């Protein structure tokens, strides 16, 4: 399914529950892209700080053939020269916010947001920073695409597939308020139909 989205130049949201293998599925996708020759650029994985070690370990275990650079810690500026020769670059949301200017100048094959609900607030610095990134493909990994309201789903799709759900005002008018305030089933079904092809 990830290959299907990639073949159609579409981003997506991998929304399995915790523990069902989102990380491994993503690593498999990166391996396929590298082996096919499509990944001429590095892919960027952005993760919470607590999961950096997990990504490093899983990449080493399941994809030792991939060249991995972990852009984290106070000495990370020394590693920036390694980015063009890397297959996968792993960094964190706090680092992205601090280094957004330099990372926004780079080009990536994939930008992958782990625990993507971190960008649910469109006015947050993390959301604004990910919007500056340039990549051919985008993917969100999250077990909780909606925690509080539908605007959080809009935030994920605003990154993964910009424009799919219109602008923020249109989304509120056509989907959020009718569904949340008026319990409009027809609008709920319309929203499901709109996003279903891109949510795995």
């Amino acid at each position: 399914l990830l290959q299907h989205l990639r073949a159609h130049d579409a981003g997506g949201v991998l929304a399995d529950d915790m523990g069902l293998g989102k990380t491994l599925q993503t690593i498999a996708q990166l391996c396929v892209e590298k082996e096919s020759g499509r990944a001429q650029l590095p892919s960027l994985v952005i993760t919470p700080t607590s999961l950096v070690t997990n990504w490093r370990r899983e990449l080493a275990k399941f994809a030792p053939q991939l060249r991995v650079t972990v852009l984290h810690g106070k000495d990370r500026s020394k590693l920036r020269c390694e980015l063009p020769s890397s297959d996968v670059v792993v960094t964190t949301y706090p680092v992205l916010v601090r280094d957004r200017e330099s990372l926004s100048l780079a080009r990536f094959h994939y930008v992958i947001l782990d625990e993507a609900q971190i960008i649910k607030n469109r006015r947050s610095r993390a959301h604004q920073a990910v919007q500056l990134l340039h990549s051919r493909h985008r993917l969100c990994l999250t077990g909780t695409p909606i925690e509080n309201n539908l605007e959080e789903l809009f935030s994920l799709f605003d990154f993964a597939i910009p424009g799919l759900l219109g602008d923020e005002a249109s989304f509120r008018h056509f989907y959020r308020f009718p569904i949340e305030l008026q319990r409009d089933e027809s609008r709920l079904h319309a929203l499901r139909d709109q996003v279903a092809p891109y949510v795995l």
Side-chain angles (χ1 to χ4, degrees):
L1 291 175
L2 290 176
Q3 281 292 302
H4 177 77
L5 291 178
R6 190 271 316 149
H8 289 84
D9 285 325
V13 178
L14 183 54
D16 286 343
D17 289 336
M18 184 176 177
L20 291 184
K22 294 187 293 294
T23 301
L24 186 53
Q25 290 179 66
T26 303
I27 291 172
Q29 175 75 354
L30 295 175
C31 288
V32 170
E33 290 300 287
K34 179 65 177 178
E35 291 165 7
S36 70
R38 286 186 293 269
Q40 302 287 317
L41 297 167
S43 289
L44 178 66
V45 175
I46 306 165
T47 184
T49 304
S50 61
L51 295 178
V52 168
T53 300
N54 181 65
W55 272 95
R56 189 200 315 251
R57 182 177 61 245
E58 297 291 278
L59 283 161
K61 180 178 180 180
F62 295 108
Q65 71 276 24
L66 296 180
R67 294 165 296 181
V68 177
T69 298
V70 177
L71 205 57
H72 180 59
K74 60 183 180 181
D75 295 328
R76 65 185 180 276
S77 60
K78 300 174 184 176
L79 299 173
R80 287 204 189 106
C81 62
E82 297 180 15
L83 265 61
S85 61
S86 301
D87 296 316
V88 183
V89 178
V90 179
T91 194
T92 69
Y93 290 98
V95 168
L96 172 65
V97 168
R98 286 194 291 271
D99 296 357
R100 60 187 175 276
E101 289 186 17
S102 60
L103 287 171
S104 69
L105 298 175
R107 296 294 182 270
F108 299 101
H109 185 61
Y110 262 95
V111 170
I112 297 159
L113 306 186
D114 192 13
E115 301 294 341
Q117 69 275 7
I118 286 174
I119 68 160
K120 65 185 180 183
N121 179 352
R122 295 185 68 251
R123 280 154 286 284
S124 70
R125 292 191 298 165
H127 187 97
Q128 292 166 8
V130 299
Q131 295 291 31
L132 298 174
L133 299 172
H134 300 279
S135 64
R136 293 174 182 161
H137 310 287
R138 294 178 168 191
L139 181 63
C140 294
L141 313 181
T142 177
T144 52
I146 303 173
E147 292 181 296
N148 301 303
N149 58 62
L150 287 174
E151 203 121 331
E152 297 169 0
L153 183 69
F154 177 83
S155 293
L156 296 186
F157 275 91
D158 187 45
F159 168 77
I161 313 176
L164 179 73
L165 298 177
D167 61 27
E168 188 174 12
S170 299
F171 179 81
R172 286 176 178 169
H173 174 75
F174 192 78
Y175 289 122
R176 184 182 174 189
F177 293 152
I179 293 170
E180 292 183 357
L181 302 179
Q182 301 162 9
R183 304 292 187 229
D184 188 323
E185 290 289 326
S186 65
R187 294 290 172 89
L188 178 59
H189 290 307
L191 178 58
R192 284 177 176 162
D193 289 343
Q194 185 84 340
V195 303
Y198 310 101
V199 179
L200 312 179

